Amino acid sequence: MNIKSFYKHYHLMLLPGIVLLIIFHLVPMFGIAIAFQDFKIGLGIWDSPWIGLENFTYMFQLRDSKVIFFNTVFIAVCKIIAHLFIPLTFAILLNEIRFRIFKRWVQTVVYLPHFISWVILAGVVMDMLSLDGIINHALKALGFEPVMFMAKNSLFPGIVVSTDIWKEFGFAAIIYLAALAGINPSLYEAAEMDGANRLKQLVYVTLPSLVPTVVLLATLSIGNILNAGFDQIFNLYNPLVYESGDIIDTYVYRVGLVQAQYGLATAVGLLKSVIGFILIFISYRVAYTYANYRIF
């Protein structure tokens, strides 16, 4: 087989994926025109009147827009920070376990929530935190008053972040475990010969070896600073916690599909996409500069 024939079959193999990419990602991009229109379903995109930047102007005049942008950034930043350090800590602790059977059992248990959808996990979380749930039963047994966890704006962001960590920290630790496996054993041997105990080996060998991985993951996570987790929050929140739990994606869903304000919803989504693209571009430039990471 010559090289031209090889690439021909290679491109044919890619063709179904490219077609799906065009249909579901590129063609819908024409819908961003709605952000600049007073969109009417009966008139369609072509005949709806153009209003320029009025949807964007109206968006910034709404108090809701400030709230959702703040909630999105706040929840996303909390998730990013937690996803950097909690999986790192777990991976280091797990790496210290010498009993392989127990180690594999722990890995399996903490990985499992990653493969369960938020539709199911949200039901579990709400049942646990309900007035008749196991948490309030424990509080009552200790002499405390029951708490309406899912109806308090002050508690909801913490619930979102903590449940997301519970679901993902085991799977996220895989990267750190791989980085730990790549550390040269001779470094530990040299440290041990110099009289370093396990704690000093951790401080002077393990952690410095993991710094490039932490820096890389932190840099790449900048691009996700406007992604606070639609599926999680959509399945957990309710009107009582809109003030602290409503994010850009849930707001776009509610305004666009429920309230039929298609122009406003498209404008909010478009602004998020533009800012997200800029942040992703910056994050990859920073990753290439400081961590020598590049895709192309």
Side-chain angles (χ1 to χ4, degrees):
M1 179 183 295
N2 57 42
I3 191 67
K4 291 184 178 180
S5 177
F6 172 78
Y7 279 116
K8 177 181 177 181
H9 289 86
Y10 179 69
H11 290 145
L12 286 175
M13 183 180 68
L14 291 176
L15 185 60
I18 294 174
V19 171
L20 291 175
L21 180 68
I22 293 173
I23 294 175
F24 292 104
H25 290 80
L26 297 183
V27 174
M29 287 296 291
F30 292 102
I32 64 175
I34 298 174
F36 307 96
Q37 294 178 325
D38 181 14
F39 181 74
K40 308 292 184 184
I41 294 182
L43 297 177
I45 295 179
W46 299 112
D47 296 323
S48 293
W50 293 86
I51 57 175
L53 300 176
E54 287 187 20
N55 284 322
F56 294 91
T57 303
Y58 179 60
M59 173 183 66
F60 286 112
Q61 291 174 347
L62 292 173
R63 178 185 176 276
D64 289 348
S65 62
K66 301 179 181 64
V67 172
I68 63 169
F69 274 100
F70 173 80
N71 291 342
T72 302
V73 174
F74 178 73
I75 293 174
V77 169
C78 289
K79 284 185 176 183
I80 289 171
I81 295 173
H83 276 299
L84 283 175
F85 295 105
I86 293 179
L88 171 63
T89 304
F90 171 74
I92 292 174
L93 294 175
L94 189 64
N95 192 59
E96 294 297 318
I97 297 177
R98 293 293 175 260
F99 299 101
R100 290 188 176 182
I101 296 178
F102 178 71
K103 184 176 180 179
R104 291 176 180 174
W105 180 81
V106 172
Q107 284 179 303
T108 302
V109 170
V110 298
Y111 290 170
L112 282 178
H114 170 77
F115 301 100
I116 303 175
S117 72
W118 271 114
V119 176
I120 298 173
L121 284 182
V124 174
V125 170
M126 288 189 289
D127 186 62
M128 291 174 60
L129 297 178
S130 67
L131 284 175
D132 295 326
I134 186 173
I135 304 298
N136 275 314
H137 276 299
L139 291 176
K140 290 178 182 178
L142 295 173
F144 295 98
E145 293 293 325
V147 179
M148 297 181 64
F149 291 99
M150 304 306 294
K152 285 185 174 292
N153 280 294
S154 59
L155 297 178
F156 189 75
I159 293 172
V160 170
V161 175
S162 59
T163 53
D164 187 67
I165 293 301
W166 167 53
K167 184 177 186 295
E168 300 293 345
F169 84 95
F171 191 81
I174 293 176
I175 298 176
Y176 293 112
L177 289 171
L180 287 168
I183 299 176
N184 193 340
S186 62
L187 296 175
Y188 292 103
E189 295 173 1
E192 190 173 358
M193 292 180 63
D194 288 338
N197 56 25
R198 299 295 295 179
L199 179 60
K200 290 186 176 179
Q201 290 178 32
L202 171 65
V203 174
Y204 294 106
V205 178
T206 304
L207 292 180
S209 300
L210 291 176
V211 166
T213 303
V214 175
V215 172
L216 175 60
L217 293 177
T219 303
L220 295 179
S221 64
I222 295 174
N224 292 320
I225 204 166
L226 291 183
N227 292 321
F230 169 79
D231 50 348
Q232 178 195 13
I233 295 178
F234 179 75
N235 285 287
L236 283 176
Y237 83 154
N238 59 76
L240 295 175
V241 292
Y242 278 172
E243 185 177 347
S244 64
D246 204 15
I247 61 173
I248 295 175
D249 293 329
T250 55
Y251 182 77
V252 168
Y253 166 82
R254 196 171 67 255
V255 171
L257 297 182
V258 178
Q259 300 178 8
Q261 299 184 52
Y262 303 107
L264 176 61
T266 307
V268 175
L270 177 60
L271 181 63
K272 177 202 170 184
S273 299
V274 172
I275 296 175
F277 174 79
I278 295 172
L279 291 174
I280 290 173
F281 177 79
I282 293 173
S283 66
Y284 276 91
R285 291 297 300 175
V286 174
Y288 174 68
T289 303
Y290 294 99
N292 197 30
Y293 173 86
R294 63 188 303 174
I295 298 179
F296 304 107

